[in-house]
Amino acid sequence: MKRGRKLKNKKQETERPPAGRTPGRAARYQARPPEGADGLNDADELNDADELDDADGLDEAATGWQQTTVKMAGLTRLATACIWALLLAGPAIGLFAVAVAGSSRAAPTTTAAPTADQPSATGPTGFAELYLAAYISAGEGTEDSLAPYYAEPVTLANKPGSRTATRIVTVAAQPVGKGYWAMTVAAQISAKGENGKTTDRGLHYFRVGVQVSGTPEAGGTAKPAKAGSKEALYAATSLPAEVNAPATAEHGDLTYGPGDGVSESDPVSDTVSRFIAAYLTGQGELNRYVSPGLRVTPIVPAPYAATLVTGLRDDQEEDGDSTDDDSIPADGTRRRVLATVSATSGGEDYLLTYALTLSTRDGRWEVAALDTAPALSAEQTGPVSGSASPTPSVAPSENSASPTDSAGD
């Protein structure tokens, strides 16, 4: 019998179980005396055989548990490996999902692509102003100062420095073609007379043709002048030409009434006067006259010593049945006003205009907004042609020469 052969194994007979462990079948049989030593009868042998069967059952059960533990450990390692695989594959799956979603939206994105960038006049404006300043102060022998702007050879007849530009500003930038601009530049000119005295010759206007190559953002052509170059290049196409001053214009109708629309007894007049005084002179508590939520602080340092509201217009229509001037409407009533202010500084009075929006709260008027510009009426939103003909700011004196004539153009 197989079990009998295991019991007679010498290795099993000599081995002892480790301390702390329940003795198994081999340990129990090591303590069994040799057969016939105590004259065991058949009944004892039968009992021993039953005990052997019970011990075998326990050992088999223990062996099965050990096998199950090994299997569970293997399954745990397998599950752990699967989890790590999923974690490592997560970013790749996410990128794949994004790519799929992006491809599904590819068609609408391409159709909604923006058009080419609009050209900007910033570069041509700066170039034209620098060119005009160099041109005005240039003269015989200093023609090279124009070379960075105008490449054609020029011969000037006036003395260098006979004129200077004390102020230059561009007033118009008109696109003529792709990468080509007509710039109108105003210059305040001072000139030296024969006695060497400098006099103000007034404001003159010049037109300059500026050609640009480079990126569309620079106001030039779509393709750079040189392959792979993103640098914008500018060049004047001629000497400046003096032109008339721009035509005058009148602003559109405003939403306010006549200049004397608000009387001094109206509570609005008192609120506006105190607000302006606190804002420009620092006198009084400014927050007392503003609505909650409006963040405005006095000008520091105070530019004026005193203020006086000389005119106040509002957007309220005249009505013969209107209430008295000292009445306050219900809370939340809004009113737009345009205030003309005489501000005093250094003994001189200067006129200013402020557009304000007022609102009622707790039985008083408060400034709800310091408007950025006067409000236009709904019917008129743009400038209209003026009735007067264009006039130059200052007429040149008899001894002054035209800039174009002095340039020998």
Side-chain angles (χ1 to χ4, degrees):
M1 182 174 161
K2 187 176 182 180
R3 291 194 185 94
R5 288 196 298 271
K6 285 185 178 180
L7 289 175
K8 291 180 182 180
N9 189 291
K10 291 182 179 181
K11 184 176 181 180
Q12 289 180 345
E13 290 177 355
T14 57
E15 287 181 349
R16 292 184 178 273
R21 294 184 57 182
T22 304
R25 180 175 57 182
R28 289 196 294 271
Y29 276 92
Q30 287 175 0
R32 181 183 177 89
E35 292 182 2
D38 295 332
L40 293 175
N41 51 25
D42 294 338
D44 293 335
E45 290 180 357
L46 290 174
N47 291 334
D48 291 339
D50 294 337
E51 187 177 353
L52 266 174
D53 293 336
D54 295 337
D56 289 343
L58 291 173
D59 285 348
E60 289 175 358
T63 305
W65 168 252
Q66 292 174 359
Q67 292 175 355
T68 304
T69 303
V70 172
K71 292 178 180 180
M72 290 297 292
L75 291 175
T76 302
R77 289 193 296 271
L78 179 60
T80 303
C82 292
I83 292 173
W84 277 106
L86 290 175
L87 289 175
L88 294 175
I93 295 175
L95 291 174
F96 177 77
V98 170
V100 172
S103 62
S104 63
R105 291 193 300 266
T109 302
T110 22
T111 54
T115 57
D117 295 334
Q118 297 295 327
S120 170
T122 302
T125 296
F127 177 83
E129 292 176 355
L130 293 174
Y131 175 39
L132 185 60
Y135 163 77
I136 291 175
S137 60
E140 185 179 2
T142 62
E143 292 88 353
D144 291 343
S145 61
L146 303 181
Y149 311 97
Y150 182 50
E152 296 290 334
V154 177
T155 302
L156 302 178
N158 62 288
K159 294 180 180 180
S162 59
R163 299 182 305 170
T164 56
T166 58
R167 184 178 57 176
I168 290 181
V169 62
T170 300
V171 296
Q174 180 182 357
V176 179
K178 190 174 184 180
Y180 194 27
W181 295 81
M183 314 298 297
T184 303
V185 185
Q188 190 79 26
I189 294 180
S190 296
K192 289 182 179 180
E194 295 181 357
N195 57 0
K197 185 179 179 180
T198 301
T199 57
D200 184 9
R201 295 297 176 88
L203 195 61
H204 294 247
Y205 296 85
F206 298 86
R207 184 167 296 146
V208 179
V210 178
Q211 190 176 17
V212 188
S213 65
T215 60
E217 293 81 2
T221 57
K223 294 182 179 180
K226 296 180 180 180
S229 174
K230 296 183 179 180
E231 182 181 3
L233 301 176
Y234 303 89
T237 55
S238 67
L239 291 173
E242 187 161 357
V243 295
N244 283 323
T248 59
E250 296 178 356
H251 64 74
D253 294 334
L254 302 180
T255 189
Y256 313 98
D260 55 352
V262 180
S263 65
E264 294 182 0
S265 61
D266 194 321
V268 167
S269 179
D270 181 69
T271 298
V272 172
S273 297
R274 295 180 182 275
F275 171 81
I276 293 296
Y279 183 66
L280 295 179
T281 69
Q283 301 173 8
E285 185 182 355
L286 185 62
N287 292 333
R288 163 64 180 81
Y289 308 105
V290 301
S291 300
L294 176 61
R295 307 183 69 176
V296 59
T297 57
I299 300 177
V300 179
Y304 302 99
T307 58
L308 176 64
V309 176
T310 59
L312 193 60
R313 304 161 57 186
D314 65 359
D315 60 349
Q316 304 299 310
E317 295 181 359
E318 295 185 4
D319 188 355
D321 298 332
S322 60
T323 58
D324 297 336
D325 290 340
D326 57 354
S327 63
I328 303 296
D331 286 1
T333 303
R334 298 179 73 85
R335 192 171 173 181
R336 283 179 167 177
V337 299
L338 189 66
T340 302
V341 180
S342 176
T344 305
S345 176
E348 300 291 338
D349 295 332
Y350 303 94
L351 287 180
L352 305 169
T353 302
Y354 287 90
L356 305 172
T357 298
L358 285 82
S359 178
T360 55
R361 185 177 69 93
D362 295 338
R364 66 176 182 268
W365 286 101
E366 295 176 335
V367 176
L370 183 59
D371 299 337
T372 56
L376 296 171
S377 65
E379 294 78 13
Q380 181 60 251
T381 58
V384 294
S385 299
S387 56
S389 60
T391 56
S393 58
V394 177
S397 63
E398 295 180 359
N399 296 330
S400 64
S402 169
T404 50
D405 293 340
S406 62
D409 185 15

